[in-house]
Amino acid sequence: MNNLLYLKLKNKIIIDYKENQLDDIYIFSLLKNIESLGYTFSEQIIKILKTFSVGEIEEFHNRIVDDLKTILGTKFNFQPMYPNFPKQVMDANETELYLNATMHYLGDWFGVRILPKYTIESRESLKDNLKLKVITLGSIDDFNLIFTRLLKSKIAISEADKECIEWYIKNYQDNILKLFPDEIPLKENIAFIGAKLMKYTSVSEKFLKDSLKTSTDVLRLVTAISEGDVSLTENTKFKNIKKKDRRLILLLLENCKEITEDMIRHKEKWKRIGEKLHPFEYKSKFPKCFEAFDIIRNDKPFETFYSKVERFIREKDFDSLVSLLKKRPGEYARRLDTLIRLSKDSFEIISNFEQIADKISTPILLQMLNNFKFRNEKQDLRIFFPKGNISKVQAIENRLSNIDEGSRQKIVEICRKKLIDKFAKLKPLGKVYLDENLKNYTVPFALRSASKALKTISRGSQLDLPKGNTVRFFIWWKDGKGRTDIDLSAVALDQNHNFLTTIAYFNLKEMGGYHSGDITSAPEGASEFIDIDIEQFLRSGTRYIVMSINSFTQQPFCDLPECFAGFMIRQHPNSGEIYEPRTIENKFDVTANTKICIPMIIDLEVRKVIWTDISLTTNIGYNNNVLNNMSSIALMSKAMTSMRKTSLYDLFQLHIEARGERIEKKTDADFIFSVNDGITPLETEKIIADFL
């Protein structure tokens, strides 16, 4: 049992009743200490703690405080260049700010860390009125259910989820199979799980033989063994494979049906894997493998599914094209828009789609429903999130012509019906309350590249800003190999996404924005802060504030031993600590294999945080700072604030139509979907397991 993991994921812990009676003063001291971190305990946990001895409560206190500090990042030194921030920056003149920065940069030239010396003034106690997070009592069954639900996911899971799965497999070892669901639907997840079973248990072989059906499944497994990208988008440096594992992998490959075509899709990867597997040594034992590797290695001719698709499109042979695509319903669905635009008979195309729609996965049907719902509405941009471990986004000009309105409506109708039919087979929900505010939260279709965060939020979701006039961005990092300069910036844009100003190392204060000072190295760790005065920026014509993180010294974030960021809402910015854990709204690790990160956009006008969690991979100038990437930032801002994605409200409404009765009063409900109660947007593992 791992209380730190349980606390981080569910805000729950497991403790048992003892046989003592503790004086209330110990409980009071414990509560005061965790309140300083923004937490408190449920009544049930307090009752149990009262049965602890003095020694047991001291041990519990040290452990829970240490766990909370780990989650919140408060173990680190958060003293910025200007230790009395933000007032110190507000009061400083431009000459003082300029000279301090100049001396600091000169120090870089001579390898000396020069920081201005100021007396750290005492700070007022935190004046903000805050709601504490309540830690509740959990159970072993509920804790184990986290693992089971992650395995049931129909979407690619995040790196944080993978770490969670690995912890369970490593600690439960051969007993882990008891927690497996009846089905693990996603191939990427199967590959990762299989690799960890091979590493930590003796029960992997049967699981792999039952689960891997194609050569691409086996490729994902080999990639997972090498700790690579199981989406197969990024290149992987394949590790040497033990002899017994080579035989197992070749056996798994031999047992698949047609392997050559699938292997040709990833020819270069298989060529490199062949160097590790030595299939030519096992020519007689695994003849299919030998033949496939021979074709790949010697570039022998072989027509694949996708080459046939492209040939039929070039030849305008739509009958053959449709017949071929119907054999792969998911591929037919992805190409449906193209087929309609190319074909003269959209009725037949849609009729064929209807015949195979029940074989298409729930996530794809949901995305099709949303895409065709808004298909003919005028949109300037088309937005794509390419598959892969890096959270990239692409936006291009929308040049698609409209499709026939009748065809559009028919596809929407088919998708809705098939989804409702799927959901109707699940357990009835009874009377259901559905919160309208869930329209602001997107369905978590792709968590593969999601940052590890205090609150896991689906990309594109819009969260209400809590009460307070100051948004405080923060970042903390530690040097990697050599001096590492990470820059925190905030870009102000008007309602048309036109640039207004930047709060950054080269512009510490303007229009109600204040930067805590540029620190250009972090041998023992360093932090930067930016305060955004919402009212002042609104008066200046600002609509959007884009948070941007740049690696000035060009190290990818993934190469740093520690790098995290986040934001707070402050009602009284000069009270409390600069890094005040009670005011943290979200904290997330910055670990992508990239040098530019845009975690969020603040829409000041409607007081919403638009969660973006994306990386820019456009050409970077000699100096990687926010000004050199302005066009990309403005484009991403426009893309992320205008895109239409399936909301949790849409998803849950379909479930209600299929297997429930919607009611208006939360108190009368058997089931609740809400921002704060029942199934909430933060219960990602439950949503991806039980509702997708």
Side-chain angles (χ1 to χ4, degrees):
M1 171 61 206
N2 185 332
N3 259 335
L4 173 59
L5 183 66
Y6 203 18
L7 185 61
K8 185 175 181 179
L9 294 177
K10 304 279 283 183
N11 215 30
K12 294 181 180 180
I13 58 173
I14 298 175
I15 54 173
D16 297 321
Y17 282 95
K18 309 293 184 181
E19 297 181 354
N20 302 287
Q21 185 148 2
L22 194 67
D23 194 297
D24 285 349
I25 189 64
Y26 292 99
I27 303 296
F28 175 79
S29 297
L30 173 59
L31 289 174
K32 291 300 290 183
N33 285 342
I34 67 166
E35 280 174 14
S36 68
L37 297 170
Y39 288 83
T40 190
F41 290 124
S42 68
E43 184 178 352
Q44 189 175 12
I45 286 185
I46 291 173
K47 285 182 179 179
I48 297 173
L49 291 174
K50 286 185 175 181
T51 69
F52 279 36
S53 67
V54 173
E56 288 166 340
I57 201 69
E58 287 178 351
E59 182 183 349
F60 174 80
H61 166 273
N62 293 337
R63 188 170 63 249
I64 195 74
V65 169
D66 188 65
D67 286 349
L68 289 174
K69 286 183 175 181
T70 297
I71 292 169
L72 295 169
T74 57
K75 290 185 173 183
F76 303 107
N77 177 16
F78 278 90
Q79 181 174 314
M81 176 179 282
Y82 295 98
N84 303 310
F85 177 81
K87 187 176 185 300
Q88 188 175 10
V89 176
M90 294 177 183
D91 295 343
N93 60 49
E94 294 298 329
T95 302
E96 180 183 359
L97 298 176
Y98 176 79
L99 288 176
N100 285 337
T102 301
M103 292 301 296
H104 187 56
Y105 300 151
L106 281 174
D108 291 340
W109 283 89
F110 298 103
V112 180
R113 199 162 188 255
I114 301 173
L115 289 171
K117 295 181 179 180
Y118 290 102
T119 301
I120 300 176
E121 299 173 359
S122 60
R123 303 179 69 91
E124 289 184 277
S125 299
L126 184 68
K127 293 181 178 180
D128 294 13
N129 184 21
L130 300 169
K131 184 178 180 180
L132 297 173
K133 303 176 188 73
V134 181
I135 299 170
T136 59
L137 186 66
S139 67
I140 288 293
D141 288 343
D142 183 60
F143 177 72
N144 288 341
L145 195 56
I146 295 171
F147 176 82
T148 306
R149 283 175 172 157
L150 287 175
L151 267 58
K152 287 172 65 179
S153 171
K154 297 180 181 67
I155 64 167
I157 56 178
S158 68
E159 289 301 314
D161 290 335
K162 288 179 181 178
E163 289 181 8
C164 179
I165 287 173
E166 182 170 6
W167 182 91
Y168 279 93
I169 294 174
K170 181 179 180 180
N171 286 275
Y172 283 62
Q173 299 188 345
D174 288 2
N175 292 323
I176 194 64
L177 293 182
K178 296 176 182 177
L179 304 185
F180 273 45
D182 294 335
E183 179 188 12
I184 303 175
L186 197 71
K187 300 297 182 67
E188 290 185 28
N189 296 348
I190 289 172
F192 176 79
I193 293 159
K196 297 310 172 185
L197 288 174
M198 289 176 68
K199 183 175 181 179
Y200 295 115
T201 78
S202 61
V203 296
S204 61
E205 187 168 337
K206 183 179 185 308
F207 169 79
L208 293 170
K209 285 179 178 177
D210 292 342
S211 303
L212 304 188
K213 307 297 182 185
T214 70
S215 64
T216 302
D217 295 346
V218 180
L219 173 57
R220 294 187 198 280
L221 173 67
V222 178
T223 303
I225 291 170
S226 296
E227 299 179 352
D229 173 19
V230 292
S231 76
L232 306 181
T233 306
E234 309 292 333
N235 288 326
T236 296
K237 185 176 181 180
F238 294 104
K239 298 179 179 179
N240 292 327
I241 303 172
K242 297 176 184 176
K243 192 168 185 178
K244 69 179 183 67
D245 290 339
R246 293 205 302 266
R247 290 199 189 104
L248 173 60
I249 291 165
L250 288 168
L251 174 63
L252 295 170
L253 194 56
E254 190 78 13
N255 288 344
C256 298
K257 291 183 180 179
E258 297 294 329
I259 63 173
T260 307
E261 178 177 335
D262 252 9
M263 291 175 70
I264 288 174
R265 287 174 58 202
H266 303 282
K267 181 187 289 188
E268 296 307 315
K269 286 183 170 66
W270 278 115
K271 282 182 179 179
R272 288 184 284 124
I273 290 171
E275 297 169 359
K276 308 295 183 183
L277 291 177
H278 312 300
F280 303 100
E281 295 179 8
Y282 303 92
K283 179 178 178 180
S284 57
K285 191 169 185 178
F286 305 117
K288 278 170 59 179
C289 292
F290 170 78
E291 181 183 1
F293 276 103
D294 184 48
I295 290 171
I296 289 170
R297 186 178 185 182
N298 297 298
D299 294 319
K300 293 183 176 180
F302 192 96
E303 189 173 39
T304 66
F305 174 88
Y306 292 100
S307 61
K308 289 178 184 177
V309 167
E310 297 307 318
R311 177 164 61 84
F312 290 148
I313 291 175
R314 285 195 309 271
E315 296 172 355
K316 297 184 179 179
D317 184 355
F318 292 110
D319 289 340
S320 298
L321 176 62
V322 169
S323 177
L324 180 64
L325 288 173
K326 282 180 68 176
K327 296 176 182 178
R328 299 188 182 182
E331 195 64 37
Y332 193 105
R334 292 184 186 94
R335 293 177 181 259
L336 182 58
D337 197 298
T338 302
L339 291 173
I340 290 172
R341 285 182 281 119
L342 292 177
S343 175
K344 294 179 181 178
D345 185 4
S346 61
F347 175 81
E348 183 179 353
I349 298 294
I350 296 171
S351 177
N352 282 309
F353 168 66
E354 187 170 17
Q355 293 172 29
I356 61 172
D358 56 350
K359 298 176 184 176
I360 298 170
S361 70
T362 298
I364 291 177
L365 279 176
L366 278 166
Q367 291 176 82
M368 289 185 68
L369 173 61
N370 187 70
N371 290 342
F372 281 97
K373 183 178 178 181
F374 302 107
R375 175 61 178 78
N376 287 346
E377 289 191 8
K378 179 174 173 53
Q379 297 180 54
D380 294 334
L381 299 173
R382 295 177 64 198
I383 302 155
F384 307 93
F385 291 91
K387 185 169 71 172
N389 285 342
I390 298 177
S391 48
K392 295 177 286 189
V393 63
Q394 295 177 1
I396 63 173
E397 184 181 352
N398 182 17
R399 295 181 178 177
L400 288 180
S401 57
N402 286 357
I403 63 173
D404 173 70
E405 185 63 18
S407 298
R408 185 196 68 79
Q409 291 178 4
K410 181 62 176 176
I411 295 168
V412 170
E413 177 188 317
I414 292 169
C415 292
R416 277 187 57 84
K417 184 178 184 305
K418 295 299 180 181
L419 286 165
I420 289 172
D421 289 346
K422 280 176 177 272
F423 297 155
K425 297 174 184 177
L426 303 175
K427 183 180 176 181
L429 296 174
K431 295 179 179 179
V432 184
Y433 174 81
L434 179 60
D435 186 348
E436 294 277 339
N437 290 318
L438 290 172
K439 292 177 179 178
N440 294 320
Y441 292 82
T442 61
V443 173
F445 286 124
L447 295 176
R448 181 191 294 110
S449 59
S451 298
K452 301 177 196 174
L454 197 59
K455 300 176 183 176
T456 300
I457 305 162
S458 179
R459 196 172 286 118
S461 293
Q462 299 189 16
L463 294 72
D464 289 330
L465 272 179
K467 181 181 178 183
N469 186 54
T470 300
V471 179
R472 178 168 295 172
F473 299 135
F474 63 83
I475 186 167
W476 193 94
W477 79 97
K478 192 172 184 179
D479 281 354
K481 294 179 179 178
R483 182 178 73 86
T484 306
D485 182 3
I486 305 298
D487 289 324
L488 176 65
S489 306
V491 182
L493 306 174
D494 68 15
Q495 63 180 2
N496 297 315
H497 306 276
N498 296 313
F499 172 72
L500 295 176
T501 193
T502 303
I503 306 301
Y505 68 87
F506 49 81
N507 188 34
L508 296 190
K509 60 178 181 176
E510 188 180 2
M511 290 167 52
Y514 304 96
H515 192 293
S516 66
D518 183 29
I519 296 180
T520 59
S521 64
E524 302 300 326
S527 59
E528 292 182 8
F529 298 86
I530 291 177
D531 272 14
I532 300 295
D533 186 306
I534 295 173
E535 293 301 325
Q536 285 195 56
F537 271 97
L538 282 171
R539 286 195 294 271
S540 71
T542 302
R543 171 76 186 266
Y544 302 107
I545 295 287
V546 182
M547 180 184 185
S548 180
I549 301 169
N550 300 69
S551 176
F552 186 90
T553 43
Q554 297 293 309
Q555 293 98 328
F557 298 121
C558 62
D559 289 348
L560 305 184
E562 190 85 37
C563 185
F564 62 84
F567 77 106
M568 311 171 189
I569 299 297
R570 306 298 289 261
Q571 298 163 16
H572 303 278
N574 282 298
S575 72
E577 298 300 322
I578 300 175
Y579 187 80
E580 180 58 68
R582 287 172 286 182
T583 65
I584 294 173
E585 287 300 313
N586 207 357
K587 167 187 167 287
F588 46 89
D589 291 347
V590 183
T591 57
N593 185 18
T594 186
K595 303 163 189 174
I596 312 168
C597 172
I598 300 180
M600 69 188 75
I601 300 168
I602 310 274
D603 186 336
L604 301 180
E605 189 172 296
V606 297
R607 291 186 64 91
K608 297 279 188 186
V609 177
I610 303 165
W611 187 247
T612 54
D613 192 15
I614 59 176
S615 302
L616 294 182
T617 53
T618 52
N619 291 331
I620 302 170
Y622 178 73
N623 286 332
N624 177 16
N625 65 25
V626 72
L627 283 184
N628 289 340
N629 299 291
M630 268 313 308
S631 60
S632 296
I633 288 176
L635 179 62
M636 291 306 103
S637 175
K638 184 173 182 179
M640 295 301 296
T641 56
S642 63
M643 71 177 182
R644 298 180 181 274
K645 292 188 72 176
T646 309
S647 71
L648 286 177
Y649 180 93
D650 297 331
L651 172 63
F652 296 146
Q653 177 62 34
L654 287 167
H655 276 277
I656 294 170
E657 289 182 40
R659 55 189 181 119
E661 173 194 352
R662 185 170 179 179
I663 61 171
E664 296 301 317
K665 289 186 178 181
K666 191 185 294 187
T667 52
D668 297 334
D670 302 310
F671 219 92
I672 296 172
F673 297 110
S674 175
V675 172
N676 298 311
D677 304 301
I679 305 298
T680 74
L682 299 182
E683 295 195 72
T684 309
E685 86 284 345
K686 185 171 180 63
I687 293 169
I688 62 180
D690 298 342
F691 295 96
L692 284 180

mmCIF file of all heavy atoms in Angstrom, residues 5 71 134-135 144 285 318 322 360 442 518 669 674:
data_model
loop_
_atom_site.group_PDB
_atom_site.id
_atom_site.type_symbol
_atom_site.label_atom_id
_atom_site.label_comp_id
_atom_site.label_asym_id
_atom_site.label_seq_id
_atom_site.Cartn_x
_atom_site.Cartn_y
_atom_site.Cartn_z
ATOM 1 N N LEU A 5 0.958 7.703 -3.072
ATOM 2 C CA LEU A 5 0.291 7.536 -4.361
ATOM 3 C C LEU A 5 -1.214 7.755 -4.229
ATOM 4 O O LEU A 5 -1.832 8.466 -5.035
ATOM 5 C CB LEU A 5 0.578 6.131 -4.903
ATOM 6 C CG LEU A 5 0.018 5.796 -6.284
ATOM 7 C CD1 LEU A 5 0.685 6.651 -7.349
ATOM 8 C CD2 LEU A 5 0.233 4.319 -6.585
ATOM 9 N N ILE A 71 4.129 16.408 -2.721
ATOM 10 C CA ILE A 71 3.101 16.671 -3.721
ATOM 11 C C ILE A 71 3.095 18.139 -4.129
ATOM 12 O O ILE A 71 2.969 18.477 -5.311
ATOM 13 C CB ILE A 71 1.715 16.252 -3.178
ATOM 14 C CG1 ILE A 71 1.647 14.719 -3.041
ATOM 15 C CG2 ILE A 71 0.588 16.762 -4.063
ATOM 16 C CD1 ILE A 71 0.431 14.226 -2.270
ATOM 17 N N VAL A 134 -10.050 18.398 1.778
ATOM 18 C CA VAL A 134 -10.327 17.413 2.829
ATOM 19 C C VAL A 134 -9.768 16.052 2.429
ATOM 20 O O VAL A 134 -10.133 15.490 1.396
ATOM 21 C CB VAL A 134 -11.838 17.295 3.096
ATOM 22 C CG1 VAL A 134 -12.099 16.276 4.206
ATOM 23 C CG2 VAL A 134 -12.425 18.654 3.463
ATOM 24 N N ILE A 135 -8.865 15.529 3.252
ATOM 25 C CA ILE A 135 -8.332 14.178 3.050
ATOM 26 C C ILE A 135 -9.300 13.202 3.705
ATOM 27 O O ILE A 135 -9.630 13.333 4.886
ATOM 28 C CB ILE A 135 -6.931 14.039 3.665
ATOM 29 C CG1 ILE A 135 -5.968 15.026 2.997
ATOM 30 C CG2 ILE A 135 -6.410 12.615 3.523
ATOM 31 C CD1 ILE A 135 -4.618 15.132 3.687
ATOM 32 N N ASN A 144 -6.897 -0.428 -5.040
ATOM 33 C CA ASN A 144 -6.609 -1.380 -6.120
ATOM 34 C C ASN A 144 -7.411 -1.072 -7.378
ATOM 35 O O ASN A 144 -6.985 -1.373 -8.494
ATOM 36 C CB ASN A 144 -6.906 -2.807 -5.658
ATOM 37 C CG ASN A 144 -5.887 -3.309 -4.645
ATOM 38 O OD1 ASN A 144 -4.786 -2.764 -4.537
ATOM 39 N ND2 ASN A 144 -6.252 -4.329 -3.904
ATOM 40 N N LYS A 285 12.940 -22.536 -37.114
ATOM 41 C CA LYS A 285 11.979 -22.529 -36.009
ATOM 42 C C LYS A 285 10.886 -21.485 -36.205
ATOM 43 O O LYS A 285 9.715 -21.710 -35.841
ATOM 44 C CB LYS A 285 12.713 -22.279 -34.691
ATOM 45 C CG LYS A 285 11.848 -22.524 -33.460
ATOM 46 C CD LYS A 285 12.684 -22.526 -32.191
ATOM 47 C CE LYS A 285 11.833 -22.896 -30.987
ATOM 48 N NZ LYS A 285 12.642 -22.947 -29.742
ATOM 49 N N PHE A 318 -13.501 3.969 -56.570
ATOM 50 C CA PHE A 318 -14.141 4.094 -55.264
ATOM 51 C C PHE A 318 -14.780 2.796 -54.786
ATOM 52 O O PHE A 318 -14.846 2.545 -53.587
ATOM 53 C CB PHE A 318 -15.164 5.225 -55.295
ATOM 54 C CG PHE A 318 -14.530 6.582 -55.435
ATOM 55 C CD1 PHE A 318 -14.657 7.306 -56.615
ATOM 56 C CD2 PHE A 318 -13.767 7.114 -54.424
ATOM 57 C CE1 PHE A 318 -14.043 8.535 -56.753
ATOM 58 C CE2 PHE A 318 -13.154 8.347 -54.559
ATOM 59 C CZ PHE A 318 -13.290 9.060 -55.727
ATOM 60 N N VAL A 322 -13.752 1.547 -51.153
ATOM 61 C CA VAL A 322 -14.727 1.356 -50.074
ATOM 62 C C VAL A 322 -14.716 -0.084 -49.591
ATOM 63 O O VAL A 322 -14.765 -0.359 -48.384
ATOM 64 C CB VAL A 322 -16.133 1.771 -50.544
ATOM 65 C CG1 VAL A 322 -17.189 1.333 -49.530
ATOM 66 C CG2 VAL A 322 -16.197 3.278 -50.767
ATOM 67 N N ILE A 360 -16.768 0.341 -34.463
ATOM 68 C CA ILE A 360 -15.841 1.460 -34.253
ATOM 69 C C ILE A 360 -15.804 1.811 -32.771
ATOM 70 O O ILE A 360 -16.836 1.802 -32.088
ATOM 71 C CB ILE A 360 -16.278 2.676 -35.098
ATOM 72 C CG1 ILE A 360 -16.225 2.315 -36.584
ATOM 73 C CG2 ILE A 360 -15.398 3.886 -34.821
ATOM 74 C CD1 ILE A 360 -16.859 3.343 -37.487
ATOM 75 N N THR A 442 -13.343 19.168 -21.357
ATOM 76 C CA THR A 442 -13.280 18.284 -22.515
ATOM 77 C C THR A 442 -13.101 16.828 -22.091
ATOM 78 O O THR A 442 -12.582 16.534 -21.011
ATOM 79 C CB THR A 442 -12.116 18.681 -23.441
ATOM 80 O OG1 THR A 442 -10.880 18.568 -22.715
ATOM 81 C CG2 THR A 442 -12.284 20.104 -23.944
ATOM 82 N N ASP A 518 15.101 37.684 -13.274
ATOM 83 C CA ASP A 518 15.652 36.611 -14.103
ATOM 84 C C ASP A 518 16.845 35.965 -13.423
ATOM 85 O O ASP A 518 17.836 36.634 -13.115
ATOM 86 C CB ASP A 518 16.063 37.197 -15.456
ATOM 87 C CG ASP A 518 16.586 36.143 -16.406
ATOM 88 O OD1 ASP A 518 16.160 34.983 -16.295
ATOM 89 O OD2 ASP A 518 17.409 36.484 -17.275
ATOM 90 N N ALA A 669 -30.718 12.543 -6.619
ATOM 91 C CA ALA A 669 -30.039 11.757 -7.650
ATOM 92 C C ALA A 669 -29.408 10.483 -7.095
ATOM 93 O O ALA A 669 -28.896 10.455 -5.976
ATOM 94 C CB ALA A 669 -28.977 12.610 -8.330
ATOM 95 N N SER A 674 -20.716 16.171 -11.859
ATOM 96 C CA SER A 674 -20.621 17.580 -11.487
ATOM 97 C C SER A 674 -19.162 18.003 -11.413
ATOM 98 O O SER A 674 -18.260 17.160 -11.359
ATOM 99 C CB SER A 674 -21.312 17.805 -10.136
ATOM 100 O OG SER A 674 -21.147 19.114 -9.679
#
